[in-house]
Amino acid sequence: MAVIRSVIRGCGAYLPQRVVSNSELAKTLDTSDDWIRERTGIRQRHIAAQGELTSDLGAAAAKQAMVRAGISPSAIDLVVCATSTPDRTFPATATAIQAKLGLKPGGAAFDVQAVCSGFVYGMTIADSMLKGGDFKQALVIGAETFSRILDWEDRATSVLFGDGAGAVVLEAQMQKGTSADRGVLLTRLHADGRYGDDLHVDGGPSSTQTVGHLRMNGREVFRHAVTNISDVIQETLVDTGLTVDEIDWFVPHQANRRILEGTAKKIGIPIDKIVMTVDKHANTSAASIPLALNAALEDGRIKEGNLVLMEAMGGGFTWGSVLARW
Ligand SMILES: CC(C)(COP(=O)(O)OP(=O)(O)OC[C@H]1O[C@@H](n2cnc3c(N)ncnc32)[C@H](O)[C@@H]1OP(=O)(O)O)[C@@H](O)C(=O)NCCC(=O)NCCS
């Protein structure tokens, strides 16, 4: 039976110009390039310029995605921006991007707050809205300026994150309704708010009236990340009847190389099937999956027809997956 699918028409990415290496951080923090690389795989991060906003990063990535999709800005009737570092408490960063890019006035635009799982949540919501039939062309953007919420004196967290943005254009298309269809095939979302304190920002409009800084219980987050990401991959495989071998590319949230290696070992994923870009931009939260997607599309790894499994885990805790055929 024919069904509407959200087909991924184009992808784009943007990283701020300024690159900060581990060694540069080691000049002001009690850390070292060796420590950061061994524990996380991170070599460098990009930091937004003064005055460069999350919406600027998101707009740059979205613009590239639309050009590659060959879709005009005026055709975009839905903008979902996943971010935990919005320009302002409100209005949504998605509306700022809508205005900056001249996207269809009167289309829907809103932000999604699921921290590092934001892109997976955003894709799931946009997919549902396209399938509902009221929207035709969506931008799903992950954009972050985490440098603005880091405690730069805390070596245990400040070395792990960076700024960046990535975006995809989704288009509602009629497909046959089989697993050979192009587009989003299955999504799975989860959250467990009991772990809110393990990865949080110690500020907010309602609590402190300040922006606050990121705080993390690194060991607990690590442990849950491997478990939750492995679980949601297994769940996706069981629910689709697919095997690891049938997935062409795993594109996970880029938090830490060791988390990805731990997950790969647990499930038996060959490491060369996992797209890893964390070395180049550190953890960019909601932006990291589309940044990794973009890298694997630019270097020709992901090709039309490939099955791609995206998965993430973040503050909340939140976690989830999106399975799509390119
Ligand atoms: C943060 C993380 C890399 C720390 O690695 P770890 O092996 O757990 O290290 P620990 O926290 O036990 O700290 C070990 C030592 O390194 C020190 N250390 C922490 N950060 C450091 C840094 N940047 N440079 C040098 N030493 C550092 C600690 O102070 C501690 O020293 P001590 O033994 O003298 O007390 C790891 O827990 C992790 O990756 N967690 C997940 C983080 C993440 O990805 N979060 C986002 C998910 S979306």
Side-chain angles (χ1 to χ4, degrees):
M1 194 186 67
V3 295
I4 299 174
R5 297 272 194 207
S6 308
V7 172
I8 302 167
R9 286 281 311 271
C11 182
Y14 175 80
L15 288 164
Q17 209 176 355
R18 183 162 169 240
V19 177
V20 176
S21 67
N22 294 343
S23 307
E24 190 175 338
L25 287 185
K27 286 182 194 160
T28 52
L29 268 179
D30 182 14
T31 188
S32 67
D33 179 41
D34 280 352
W35 193 95
I36 301 171
R37 266 194 297 116
E38 263 170 41
R39 304 283 174 126
T40 70
I42 295 164
R43 290 171 182 271
Q44 61 180 44
R45 71 282 299 136
H46 292 246
I47 303 292
Q50 210 180 352
E52 195 176 28
L53 304 182
T54 295
S55 61
D56 296 320
L57 275 55
K63 196 172 171 181
Q64 188 176 49
M66 287 189 294
V67 169
R68 288 174 173 171
I71 283 179
S72 120
S74 61
I76 300 288
D77 53 5
L78 172 63
V79 189
V80 181
C81 181
T83 186
S84 300
T85 44
D87 295 2
R88 300 188 278 189
T89 303
F90 76 78
T93 301
T95 59
I97 294 173
Q98 187 195 36
K100 278 180 185 173
L101 292 178
L103 307 177
K104 188 175 175 178
F110 58 90
D111 287 358
V112 167
Q113 220 293 40
V115 205
C116 299
S117 311
F119 188 74
V120 163
Y121 268 70
M123 286 287 279
T124 303
I125 295 163
D127 177 48
S128 298
M129 292 176 75
L130 292 181
K131 279 185 189 153
D134 288 338
F135 298 90
K136 300 286 176 242
Q137 261 121 6
L139 263 171
V140 181
I141 303 159
E144 302 281 15
T145 47
F146 258 54
S147 62
R148 310 247 157 89
I149 56 164
L150 295 174
D151 174 354
W152 285 101
E153 287 175 8
D154 176 14
R155 65 177 181 172
T157 53
S158 60
V159 304
L160 303 176
F161 296 89
D163 301 338
V168 296
V169 174
L170 298 180
E171 184 175 64
Q173 287 185 8
M174 290 310 290
Q175 300 270 315
K176 290 194 177 114
T178 71
S179 59
D181 285 355
R182 289 188 69 201
V184 175
L185 299 174
L186 188 94
T187 61
R188 290 288 178 259
L189 296 182
H190 300 286
D192 190 341
R194 291 174 301 171
Y195 298 98
D197 287 345
D198 283 325
L199 178 50
H200 72 283
V201 169
D202 61 2
S206 176
S207 53
T208 59
Q209 298 83 57
T210 61
V211 171
H213 291 114
L214 185 149
R215 306 292 174 204
M216 182 173 67
N217 182 353
R219 286 209 172 167
E220 276 302 292
V221 173
F222 191 100
R223 202 166 61 78
H224 284 276
V226 174
T227 305
N228 292 344
I229 292 172
S230 302
D231 285 354
V232 81
I233 292 175
Q234 293 285 21
E235 181 187 1
T236 309
L237 295 175
V238 168
D239 291 352
T240 52
L242 290 164
T243 63
V244 163
D245 294 346
E246 288 170 288
I247 307 288
D248 295 293
W249 297 106
F250 291 83
V251 185
H253 165 50
Q254 309 285 316
N256 180 317
R257 196 176 151 74
R258 285 194 308 150
I259 291 177
L260 303 184
E261 286 169 349
T263 310
K265 199 168 157 203
K266 211 167 161 187
I267 303 197
I269 304 170
I271 206 82
D272 58 1
K273 270 195 173 191
I274 301 181
V275 177
M276 275 200 223
T277 53
V278 66
D279 56 318
K280 297 192 182 66
H281 52 66
N283 183 345
T284 56
S285 192
S288 88
I289 288 182
L291 278 165
L293 274 179
N294 187 65
L297 284 160
E298 282 187 345
D299 66 23
R301 271 179 287 176
I302 298 178
K303 297 182 181 61
E304 198 170 312
N306 279 178
L307 262 183
V308 177
L309 183 55
M310 299 161 244
E311 61 275 346
M313 136 94 189
F317 292 142
T318 54
W319 64 103
S321 68
V322 174
L323 177 72
R325 188 178 296 285
W326 227 259

